Amino acid sequence: MAAPQIPHRYQYTYQPLTTPRSFRLLRFRDFLHSELCELETFEIENCPPFSTLSYTWGAPLNTEKSEEHYKNDKTKILIINTERGQQQLPLLKNLYEGLCQLTQSERPKWLWVDAICINQDDEHERASQVTFMGAVYSNCQQVIVWLGQDD
């Protein structure tokens, strides 16, 4: 299945990061609707306590069933509240399922997830944020690992 077609006016638009030490954190706003959230920018030295989510970008298991279930299609949508209204960001299925699992448990207030908090379409930002990931992981309260749903 191909990525859902999101009309341009509803696609999430990243605001540029202001300094080499700035990064984005995800905050869920509605506990009943796990896909409703906000992205806010902070300096690493002046940010709220946060957790990171580590997950597999593809199928969590090297089996035919898992490969079929977790094709790298962006078939799920995250709704992000912005100053311009609600915008949509397509997510890989495994990441979306991990976020849904977090909403059913004791979810951290602030969360860093590479595929969401880094503008994956901006090569310069992606490169600088990848080198900055050590600081992100060193400053987080906990690393949450999501390997996928049980069979």
Side-chain angles (χ1 to χ4, degrees), residues 2-88:
Q5 294 298 316
I6 301 171
H8 182 69
R9 69 177 182 263
Y10 297 119
Q11 289 178 357
Y12 181 71
T13 304
Y14 286 90
Q15 298 304 309
L17 295 172
T18 54
T19 73
R21 307 271 310 155
S22 61
F23 71 125
R24 297 180 191 91
L25 291 175
L26 178 69
R27 177 172 57 169
F28 288 95
R29 301 296 294 168
D30 185 343
F31 282 72
L32 296 176
H33 300 92
S34 61
E35 69 278 357
L36 189 60
C37 63
E38 294 176 345
L39 273 176
E40 293 189 37
T41 301
F42 296 95
E43 296 295 315
I44 193 74
E45 296 83 9
N46 191 24
C47 65
F50 67 96
S51 299
T52 61
L53 178 63
S54 182
Y55 60 97
T56 60
W57 278 64
L61 299 173
N62 191 18
T63 65
E64 189 174 321
K65 180 180 177 183
S66 184
E67 293 287 338
E68 182 62 29
H69 183 73
Y70 289 99
K71 287 184 179 175
N72 284 332
D73 295 325
K74 295 184 177 185
T75 59
K76 300 296 182 180
I77 299 293
L78 187 68
I79 301 169
I80 302 174
N81 277 333
T82 71
E83 294 174 354
R84 298 168 304 285
Q86 293 182 350
Q87 296 185 320
Q88 302 174 5

